[in-house]
Each structure stands twice: as structure tokens, then as C-alpha cells.
Amino acid sequence: MNLHEHQAKALLAGYDVRVPRGEPVESVGEAVAAASRLGYPVVVKAQIHAGGRGKAGGVRLARNEAAVREAAEAILGHVLVTKQTGPEGRLVRRLLIEEGVDIARELYVSLIVDRSSGRPMIIASAAGGMDIEEVAIETPEKIQTVLVDPAVGLQPFQARRLAFGLGLKGPAFGNGVSFLLALYRAFDGLDASQVEINPMLVTGDGEVLALDAKLSVDDSALFRQRKVAALRDIREESPLEVEADRHHLNYIKLDGSVGCMVNGAGLAMATMDIVKLAGAEPANFLDVGGGASADQIENAFRILSSDSSVRIVLINIFGGILRCDRLAEGLIAAVRKLGLRLPIVIRMEGTNVEVARRMLADSGMDFTPADGMKDAADKVVAKLRAA
Amino acid sequence: MSVLVGHETRLLVQGITGREGAFHTGACRDYGTRVVAGVTPGKGGQEVAGVPVFDTAREAVRATGANTSLVFVPPRFAADAIAEAVDAGLDLVVSITENVPTQDMVRVVRARPPGGTRILGPNCPGAISPNRAKVGIMPGFIHREGAVGVVSRSGTLTYEAVHQLSRRGIGQSTCVGIGGDPVIGTSFVDVLELFAADDETEAVVLIGEIGGSAEEEAADFIRREMTKPVVGFIAGQTAPPGRRMGHAGAIVMGGKGTAAEKMEALRSAGVHVVESPADIGAMMESALPGS
């Protein structure tokens, strides 16, 4: 689950990670009021679930009330296009008004779970404000990493090593060590899958602060992260994806015209791949899961066919726990209920497949059966071209 | 020989009294697996389909000589169940459960003593040695006994690959799902080591997917150690970056973990990489020794 910057900062501050003072607002009037409480200068920051806001004009410095008003009016209620939003951009509904801080140095720090070692890893770099991916390619020697033993947590000597490596001196050194230790506690305590502070700021007085903060929390841990779960902003998510999530379906909307319905994530990806290889584009990723019920099948079918760019549906099911006859039953019911608007190519294999094939053939509906994944993809493409 | 599961397997099912646990206990036993015990805390003394249920894994092991466990415990308790199996000294614990918090797995993997219980999964279909033992949720009937080892991060895509093999008359030694989560107990390299050392396995199918670097590590191992032919497929060639594709671990982050990179790494290690998931069986047919 992704969070807004202001939410991430509030959560981190709960673990004593230092952040600038700031207030989230949803109107120009609130922005002006917040700025006068904080004192000038302030920074006006668009709150959307995407990075690259600064370069896209979504972060502006304001030295007085007129400037705050102007910045808030220019950003709030407008679509911001950054390199992470895609060309359609994101509507900005919320701003963070934050106190301006003086910047002596900009550093970088992030925490992830390193998959190879199965341990939390801290990544730090003196090149703050830059994409870490770029730093990794251009100046890999500037990146330091530390693996943390989850049984004991981040050790002070490890934090010192990182702080020395970042070139911190004087009061900034001690503040930097405290900052890193607090950040690890937050990562651990919040079940984060990623925390990225870029830049991690050093002020002229040696204060160390998170000037920006990106926080993603493990969806599987939300049952024990109630405070985080309550912060979900579904306006930042695609409506069809939200709807699918409500039915415990894994759905991701893509740009093509072939609606895909598959059981299992790996097979669903492979189905998208073979559609592309055959010469068409998948409209979505959709995993109905291992034990989908007739209801689930109906919901899945409704969601994928409500995407107006879908021109044909490809169903690929390898029945294990999910029996093919149950799929056929759900599908026939769904098509009857929703009306068969789109051509449907079905590939089924596995448990009770013979029964299922008969059910589809006897339904009197226009399903195109396929033998194997390749045949299915080829039939989809042929039908698209004939249409 | 086969790897991980076989005639020697004496299975304990954790979470046996739940719907899934009870169903698959029956399915594993029907396949021929020796299911000797179940564990559900507080339900010791009961029976599920004739299998005795115990309160703790230790008791179950002491009473029945179980050496392998299959975990169907709900996500929030799954890591604890795995830890209990490790503590009870089983050889292998297979966790089917999906949506286990990553940090729980970080702790369990860390707490496992060196040389201790092997953890397979979580979020995996399990392992099967055809005609010997099925320890998982895969449909048994698509498998056929033979000499190809299969290792995969996926469930149904593994069934697809197995189906292609069986249809061509190519049997399997053992099929292993290692799971789709970011932190898992057994890696591709671990299973490849087992297949490399297994007399009965003559070739391997490796099915990877986007995210992480497990396939690159596998490629490294294959280049250095593997003399048996390997056929590879990577799912997610068309997946958009930054999105989790169903599996918690299937995500391209910061431009890393793409299918293209993984396919290239495997290819350069001598793996027969197929672009199309429909070509796995055919490629294995031509890659097998003596063909």
C-alpha cells in the first residue's frame, strides 16, 4: 500500500524521525491559513501517489501569502504529469504546506527487504536529490549498503559507519546516527516494504531531516497496521482496480484490447506474454485465484468487460483446486446475466475439463474453444483482425 | 531418487482441521503420500479423515515420526507455524499459505538454525515426486514419473509446464514450487543444487518471473556448476514497471528485475530460454540428452 508524503512523514515522526513542520490541506484558503501558522517561507507540495513532482512543477517555494495563493491555485485541482504518472497524469486533490528549511547538504537513504539475503537493507548515498538508479549506474562507488540482522535491529556501529560514509561531521554526525536508527525502527514497526528519504537533508545548523518521504507498507501486514490501513486514499487508485480488490481479485489495468482472465499470477503473466507474442496487446492482468467460486468468476468477468477498450476476452484456466466445471458454470451464468457482448476464446485444462467443455458446448453460447495457450492466442488475434 | 519428497516422506499437516487443510490432506493421501499426523493447537485428540490430530508439532513428531510438514495455517499465524515445525526438527516444511507478512518471513528465515529444517515457500504449490509423494495442492494426475526436474516461482504456470511435458511423454523426477513472495525459504539455487546431485534427474525446467534477482543467481550457478540441460521461461515480459503482478514478489523496481534481464542472464549461462510459455515442452524434448 502506498501513502502520501504527508502521511508517511506523520507516521515516521511517530518513531522520532525528524521531519519539517507541515500541514496537509485541500483548499487554497486552508493553504494560506496553514502557511501563516507555519511562518514564511513555506513550500507548497502536491500530494499524489507518484514521484517526480518537483520537476513537473508540483513543488513550489512561497515567500508570502500571495505566492502561497498563487502556487496553491496553480497546483490544486489540476492534473500533474510527472515521469511516474504516465501521460494522463494525476489530479491533485491535496497539498502539503511545509516550513521552508535551509539546505546545507542533500543526502539519500532508503530501506528495503533484500530478497537475496532475506534481510532488511539500508542504502545510503551522498548524492541526495538524484534518482538512486541513476547514481547506481553513474557513480556506484557513492552508494553504501548495510544489511541488518532482524533479530537485533540496526546496530549503532552500523549507523555510525553509514554516517561517516556520508561525510557527516560535528552535530550533523550525531543527528544523522539518531536519524538512521529511528528510520530503521519505523521501517520495522510499520511493516514497510520500502522507505525512501530523498533528500535526507542536513541544515546549516547540523539538523538532519526527511525533506521528502516515500513509504510503502506490506499489504499482507495491514491486518496489524490498522493506523496505516485507515490512511488508504482510494482516489489515487484506478476505480476498476478498487472494485476488483473488493472481490479479492488481482486486477491491473493495461492499455491493450485483449481482456484476460486467468487463474494464478504466473499463468496470468504468461498469458499476457503469449498474447503479445501473437501480435495483440493485453488489456489487463487478472488472476481469479486458486479457489474461485462461481460468484468470483462472474465478478471477474464483469470487471474486465467493463473496460471499454476490451474487444475480445481470453480465458485461460488450468484447473487444479479450481475445477473447470465450476469455471464453466460461473462463466455461463455470468454471460447469461451480463449479456454476451464480446467474443470469448476459452482455453481450459485440468480437473474436470471434459465435463466443462461439454457444458460450454451445450450452453448454446458463442464460446470459441482453444487447445493450448498458443492456439488460444492465435485465435484471439485472428478474431481481432477479422473484426 | 527424487528430491525433497518421496517414498520416505511421512507427512504432518499443520492446520489440518481447516477447510483447505482437511481437503488437501485427503488429496495428498489419495495420491499415495503417507499422511501420519495433523496439528491444530487446541484440537489434539481429534481425527481428520482417520489422521490423528495433535496440539503441537513436537508431540506429533514424537508420536508418529513425521519428517515433513505442510502448512495451511492462516497468514497471520503462518510464520509461527513454520517456526514451530523448524523447532520440532522436521526435515522439510512446505508453506502453502499466501499473504504472509514479509517481516514475519524475515524473522523465521533468520531464526532457522544452519543445517536445520528446510523451508519451502510460502505462497507456493508445494512439491511432488510423481507416483511417490505429493506434498502440496497441485493436481496430481497431470504428472508422470520420469527424469525432468521442474522448479518454479509460480503455481498454475508450473502445472502448465508439467502438462506440456507429460503430454509429450516426458516424465518428471520432482516438481518444486518455491513460491511467489519476496522472502522465501528455498531459492532456485537451492533446488538446482539438489537436481544437480540427483541421479534420476537428467534435465531441469526453470520457470521464473519478474522481480528480484533469484533468476540471475540461478544463472550464475548454472554457468558454474550445472552440467544437465536447463530449459527456462520468465513470466512477465509484458508487465508494466512498478506494479505487483499478483505475487508479492513479482514487481519491477527501479528498472531492475525485468524479464529481459533475466532471460539474457539465463541465456548467457547456456539455458535454453523460450520466449513463449507454449514452447516449454517442445524445447525440453529437443534439449533432453539422447534426443
Side-chain angles (χ1 to χ4, degrees):
Chain A
M1 175 182 156
N2 292 320
L3 292 149
H4 286 298
E5 175 194 359
H6 74 90
Q7 298 169 329
K9 284 178 168 169
L11 289 165
L12 295 175
Y15 290 85
D16 299 327
V17 176
R18 305 255 348 243
V19 300
R21 291 179 301 126
E23 297 179 26
V25 300
E26 297 204 351
S27 72
V28 175
E30 284 173 30
V32 170
S36 74
R37 280 192 292 272
L38 293 164
Y40 291 97
V42 294
V43 184
V44 177
K45 305 174 92 174
Q47 300 293 289
I48 55 171
H49 285 185
R53 295 167 299 163
K55 283 180 189 138
V59 178
R60 301 185 191 196
L61 184 68
R63 297 190 182 281
N64 53 50
E65 186 179 318
V68 168
R69 191 174 295 280
E70 191 191 322
E73 279 170 355
I75 303 172
L76 207 54
H78 294 270
V79 170
L80 191 65
V81 180
T82 81
K83 63 175 190 179
Q84 287 184 15
T85 58
E88 71 281 7
R90 286 281 172 81
L91 179 63
V92 182
R93 298 179 174 93
R94 201 180 288 173
L95 300 171
L96 171 60
I97 309 298
E98 204 169 66
E99 64 172 331
V101 280
D102 95 282
I103 300 176
R105 289 186 67 201
E106 293 187 59
L107 311 172
Y108 172 97
V109 63
S110 69
L111 275 135
I112 54 164
V113 174
D114 174 58
R115 295 164 61 153
S116 301
S117 61
R119 294 185 176 205
M121 182 191 260
I122 304 188
I123 301 163
S125 153
M130 284 178 66
D131 273 354
I132 193 71
E133 292 86 23
E134 281 171 36
V135 179
I137 293 164
E138 284 158 26
T139 48
E141 69 282 359
K142 286 193 177 157
I143 294 179
Q144 313 172 63
T145 59
V146 162
L147 280 176
V148 181
D149 182 337
V152 290
L154 180 66
Q155 298 294 286
F157 78 88
Q158 293 178 304
R160 286 199 302 276
R161 193 162 82 206
L162 288 164
F164 280 123
L166 291 169
L168 295 175
K169 292 190 175 68
F173 178 81
N175 289 332
V177 169
S178 302
F179 185 93
L180 292 169
L181 291 169
L183 196 64
Y184 177 80
R185 285 195 302 272
F187 176 82
D188 188 58
L190 292 167
D191 272 300
S193 44
Q194 187 191 18
V195 180
E196 186 178 56
I197 309 298
N198 189 21
M200 164 182 169
L201 185 77
V202 184
T203 69
D205 305 335
E207 295 284 342
V208 176
L209 298 166
L211 192 57
D212 195 1
K214 182 178 162 189
L215 171 65
S216 313
V217 172
D218 182 1
D219 291 323
S220 299
L222 290 177
F223 71 87
R224 64 186 177 208
Q225 296 290 347
R226 299 261 166 85
K227 215 162 119 191
V228 175
L231 297 175
R232 181 171 174 193
D233 184 355
I234 59 167
R235 297 175 306 183
E236 289 288 320
E237 302 171 31
S238 128
L240 279 180
E241 292 181 16
V242 172
E243 171 73 2
D245 188 52
R246 234 165 41 82
H247 299 292
H248 308 285
L249 295 163
N250 254 312
Y251 172 89
I252 294 173
K253 185 170 160 20
L254 304 169
D255 297 329
S257 58
V258 182
C260 300
M261 182 167 127
V262 188
N263 65 327
L267 192 61
M269 280 188 273
T271 303
M272 288 160 45
D273 294 347
I274 204 165
V275 164
K276 172 94 174 180
L277 278 173
E281 295 286 338
N284 63 276
F285 166 94
L286 173 56
D287 168 15
V288 295
S293 63
D295 259 9
Q296 290 277 87
I297 302 290
E298 186 185 315
N299 288 325
F301 196 75
R302 189 167 41 77
I303 287 161
L304 84 84
S305 61
S306 63
D307 170 2
S308 58
S309 52
V310 170
R311 290 170 52 209
I312 188 164
V313 176
L314 168 55
I315 299 175
N316 183 18
I317 299 290
F318 206 110
I321 315 170
L322 171 61
R323 301 184 336 234
C324 293
D325 55 327
R326 192 192 272 177
L327 167 86
E329 188 188 311
L331 192 62
I332 291 167
V335 170
R336 194 160 283 149
K337 199 158 156 189
L338 305 167
L340 180 62
R341 182 174 63 85
L342 300 160
I344 301 175
V345 175
I346 302 188
R347 183 282 173 124
M348 287 184 299
E349 203 56 71
T351 312
N352 293 0
V353 68
E354 292 307 329
V355 185
R357 283 188 185 135
R358 253 195 327 272
M359 288 167 68
L360 292 182
D362 295 347
S363 70
M365 294 172 179
D366 183 21
F367 297 113
T368 306
D371 181 26
M373 287 177 76
K374 180 168 191 316
D375 184 45
D378 288 344
K379 281 183 170 147
V380 162
V381 172
K383 281 190 168 288
L384 272 180
R385 294 207 172 127
Chain B
M1 276 284 289
S2 49
V3 307
L4 295 173
V5 299
H7 286 310
E8 68 290 352
T9 297
R10 294 178 65 82
L11 189 64
L12 154 69
V13 178
Q14 292 176 271
I16 192 169
T17 53
R19 193 169 54 92
E20 297 252 309
F23 175 79
H24 288 289
T25 296
C28 289
R29 196 173 50 183
D30 291 347
Y31 191 78
T33 311
R34 268 188 295 175
V35 185
V36 297
V39 168
T40 298
K43 300 206 172 164
Q46 298 185 7
E47 276 192 2
V48 171
V51 177
V53 180
F54 298 86
D55 284 324
T56 68
R58 278 201 184 202
E59 269 181 86
V61 168
R62 200 176 305 134
T64 66
N67 55 17
T68 301
S69 118
L70 186 57
V71 179
F72 289 103
V73 171
R76 62 180 75 185
F77 310 115
D80 185 49
I82 296 169
E84 186 180 357
V86 171
D87 173 73
L90 293 156
D91 297 333
L92 172 69
V93 48
V94 179
S95 177
I96 305 299
T97 311
E98 192 177 353
N99 298 321
V100 180
T102 303
Q103 294 202 7
D104 288 4
M105 284 313 300
V106 165
R107 289 188 175 79
V108 169
V109 169
R110 165 66 178 81
R112 173 186 166 271
T117 307
R118 181 188 293 280
I119 299 168
L120 186 62
N123 191 12
C124 81
I128 181 170
S129 295
N131 294 348
R132 299 177 193 191
K134 167 174 127 94
V135 178
I137 60 173
M138 63 289 284
F141 71 91
I142 61 171
H143 298 81
R144 121 179 222 163
E145 194 172 342
V148 171
V150 178
V151 59
S152 168
R153 276 167 69 185
S154 156
T156 47
L157 181 55
T158 316
Y159 313 161
E160 169 69 33
V162 166
H163 175 71
Q164 289 179 27
L165 294 172
S166 293
R167 213 148 76 150
R168 288 172 181 271
I170 303 170
Q172 305 93 42
S173 53
T174 304
C175 304
V176 186
I178 59 173
D181 280 358
V183 177
I184 50 179
T186 295
S187 67
F188 276 129
V189 171
D190 295 330
V191 180
L192 288 171
E193 278 175 352
L194 296 173
F195 282 144
D198 178 39
D199 295 341
E200 201 175 87
T201 302
E202 290 171 16
V204 174
V205 172
L206 182 150
I207 299 172
E209 62 190 34
I210 55 165
S213 57
E215 291 79 4
E216 283 84 345
E217 288 150 26
D220 236 25
F221 174 83
I222 291 167
R223 181 185 302 108
R224 286 183 286 105
E225 311 265 345
M226 198 77 178
T227 54
K228 302 174 182 180
V230 180
V231 170
F233 172 74
I234 304 292
Q237 298 167 46
T238 50
R243 301 299 309 265
R244 261 172 232 284
M245 306 302 285
H247 287 156
I251 178 168
V252 173
M253 280 176 93
K256 301 300 279 180
T258 63
E261 280 176 306
K262 290 170 187 296
M263 290 163 77
E264 186 42 45
L266 290 170
R267 234 179 245 130
S268 73
V271 174
H272 305 276
V273 176
V274 293
E275 280 188 9
S276 166
D279 294 342
I280 296 168
M283 181 61 94
M284 179 51 81
E285 196 163 51
S286 63
L288 268 177
S291 64

